[in-house]
Amino acid sequence: MSAMRRLGPLIANLAMTALALMFLYPFYWLIVSSFRSQEAMLVNPLRLMPESFDLAAYTSIRLVGGVPIEVYSFNSMLITVLATVLAVATTALGAYALYRRPHLPGFKFVQFGFLLTMMYPAMLLVIPVYLVMFRIGLLGTYAGLVMFLALQPILFLMFSQFFRSIPRDLMDSAKMDGASEWQVLTRVVLPIAQPVVNTVFLIGFLLNWKQWLPILVVAASPDRYTLPVALLAMNTEYGINFQSTMALAALTTAPIVVLFLLTQRRVIGGFVAGAVKG
Amino acid sequence: MATLELIDVCKKFGASAVLQDVSLSVDDGEFVVFVGPSGCGKSTLLRTIAGLEDASAGLIRIDGAVVNGVDAAKRGLAMVFQSYALYPHMTVEQNMAFGLKLARLPKADIDARIKAAAEVLKIGDLLGRLPKTLSGGQRQRVAIGRAIVREPKIFLFDEPLSNLDAELRVQMRIELARLHARLKATMIYVTHDQVEAMTLADKIVVLQAGRVEQIGAPLDLYNRPANSFVAGFIGSPRMNFIAARIEAIGPQGVRAAIGGEGDLVHFAVDGSRLRIGDSTILGIRPESIAIRPAGDGETTGLAAEIILDEQLGSGTCVHAMTRAGDILVSYLQGQVPLRKGAAVRLSLPATACHLFDRDGTALVRLE
Ligand SMILES: Nc1ncnc2c1ncn2[C@@H]1O[C@H](COP(=O)(O)OP(=O)(O)OP(=O)(O)O)[C@@H](O)[C@H]1O
Ligand SMILES: [Mg+2]
């Protein structure tokens, strides 16, 4: 019995470590490979340490498709940050409005519409999005890219879920204290929602950072591409340069890994705050 | 410090009518209790007064001015919720200051009011704490304090004590009564506990299924219930009800037969609306039934057999079954040595017997 009790956690820990390694390995491999020459990689793909720290790949990606890497990085940051801010602001306010006044005419329809966009395959949106962006003159503009990426129904659902967990009495109480609808939101709901807003922002950021299809569609030329699209562009008619691809992939992944590590504690706190009522 | 008047207030949620033609008036400084079974619309009525729900029809007047359509934030009322609803991210002091800051009161006034309220409620040393670190009773005090500092026209309480344990509930009940005496403010209090209603109220409003059943002072409702619902709801242990058939009607009252044997009971009520043979309902409070041992040639009163005795220490609840099979509960002062199976006689004094017609409406009592 006591042996079982000691073995249980041990086995669980081993299993989790194994699982974690399974997820970590591809990232590790990616980084290692970015330092290895293409030939070495083909000969012995699974080597755990690079033969030497060869930085050739990193210098080779100064220009991708004729556009400096700085442009892609700048685009990635700008578009992701703006789109995520816009997405968090609109979905938070939208979910809040739906929560506060669920019976206003048309709100049921809006909610349903949001769910529908989640179930709709993104691939099928390519042509309509292209046409709409073209018609309203946003094709190839930052505004078009940001607006399209700001459409994030999953964030809306996360906010809806959270707002529903706030006791209604709390808002009624603020009303009784003389708060306007805006003050209820800014003085009571948002401070309580802070950890959830952080979490949703981070998730929105991750989702937008890795987007490539809508950017490929809406950005008319490579100078509006982001890092993931540049990564895609490395796959040229001349074949794949493994080493450079790995280097660019490492650069693309690094910011979000850092971001996640920095905010991890708060994000997990936010999940818990959202899950436990009150 | 205000008066309140409701005129034919109705509230519908979709198709279901939750409040129907509720009319009542609350005087300045009065403590009014809304009481009724769960789901009868007490909270809805309170929230409608507060402005958190819109009345579907009818008028609400505060200090004579119609407030239908006035936002809850602008009605100048304060509400204490059953769930306390303290702002979790604010300290006790910030919770109490919130409404005052929104009203842009000078800082010195805010501090003075918080200090005074904290003193009354004995929460002075909790001011820096967050709500999650407080006990239920402390949270309740803070919630009341938050209402007091606003100096509202009317205090609204929605079952504020129902989340507290029995002992604390009694204690807080007494404190609330003291608070009312001290502030002399108009207060409306919702509860489903008729003891709270009886002890706190200047005036009780009994609600059932969204309608007002009766409004009156606690003892008026107790002594002269307008119908069998109020009679059954107010008073503990509950009033006894048994079927009675009218046998004779006279200027001094009516006589009715109860049970199969036709034992006659006299009622001091106005029988002019009744006819011989009408079926009615007799109501009598447990403490009004006197019990004597049977025998000794005793012939007055109802013959019955004791089927259960509940010894409460301060009193005894005796359940007795008549020969017709009706069960009557009698409450006797002290520790009465009556035991199960004993044959007894129950006497039902005419002045203590209530008579309700078939719809449950009480017949007017003769004084
Ligand atoms: N927002 C709402 N939408 C629909 N129906 C509602 C709503 N609020 C209350 N009701 C209904 O109105 C009726 C009265 O509810 P209310 O909360 O006023 O009862 P109550 O007397 O306060 O009961 P309790 O003692 O259980 O608190 C109930 O049948 C309830 O289901
Ligand atoms: Mg209620």
Side-chain angles (χ1 to χ4, degrees), chain A residues 169-170 172-173 176-177 187, chain B residues 47 83 87 89 146 150:
Chain A
D169 279 356
L170 210 57
D172 287 342
S173 177
M176 294 305 295
D177 264 342
R187 304 282 206 99
Chain B
R47 293 169 57 83
S83 60
Y87 310 120
H89 58 298
R146 190 170 60 177
R150 300 245 343 270

Side-chain angles (χ1 to χ4, degrees), chain A residues 88-277:
Chain A
V88 168
T90 52
T91 53
L93 291 177
Y96 180 68
L98 277 172
Y99 160 71
R100 282 293 278 168
R101 294 280 182 276
H103 300 299
L104 280 191
F107 268 20
K108 279 256 142 56
F109 178 76
V110 171
Q111 186 139 30
F112 183 70
F114 256 115
L115 288 180
L116 205 66
T117 60
M118 263 183 78
M119 289 184 274
Y120 203 80
M123 285 288 179
L124 293 183
L125 283 175
V126 168
I127 293 170
V129 163
Y130 185 88
L131 289 178
V132 169
M133 287 293 172
F134 176 72
R135 275 290 164 79
I136 59 181
L138 290 178
L139 206 60
T141 64
Y142 283 122
L145 289 162
V146 166
M147 274 168 66
F148 186 74
L149 290 192
L151 179 71
Q152 293 261 22
I154 181 88
L155 306 189
F156 172 83
L157 282 188
M158 293 173 74
F159 277 121
S160 289
Q161 200 65 31
F162 168 71
F163 287 137
R164 246 177 281 156
S165 76
I166 303 182
R168 218 161 258 271
D169 279 356
L170 210 57
M171 274 155 270
D172 287 342
S173 177
K175 290 295 281 183
M176 294 305 295
D177 264 342
S180 66
E181 206 52 59
W182 178 249
Q183 286 167 326
V184 172
L185 175 66
T186 54
R187 304 282 206 99
V188 177
V189 175
L190 281 185
I192 298 174
Q194 194 56 57
V196 176
V197 172
N198 292 347
T199 307
V200 174
F201 183 88
L202 188 71
I203 291 171
F205 192 95
L206 298 183
L207 290 176
N208 280 336
W209 185 265
K210 73 179 178 66
Q211 282 285 17
W212 57 271
L213 180 63
I215 295 170
L216 199 56
V217 173
V218 179
S221 61
D223 61 351
R224 290 286 180 276
Y225 283 177
T226 57
L227 286 171
V229 187
L231 200 51
L232 196 71
M234 295 210 51
N235 193 345
T236 60
E237 57 264 44
Y238 309 115
I240 297 177
N241 179 341
F242 268 123
Q243 196 177 2
S244 304
T245 306
M246 291 312 146
L248 187 54
L251 283 186
T252 306
T253 328
I256 54 174
V257 170
V258 171
L259 182 68
F260 189 80
L261 289 179
L262 287 180
T263 55
Q264 177 200 33
R265 195 175 293 266
R266 281 193 194 179
V267 169
I268 291 168
F271 273 124
V272 174
V276 180
K277 204 178 151 160

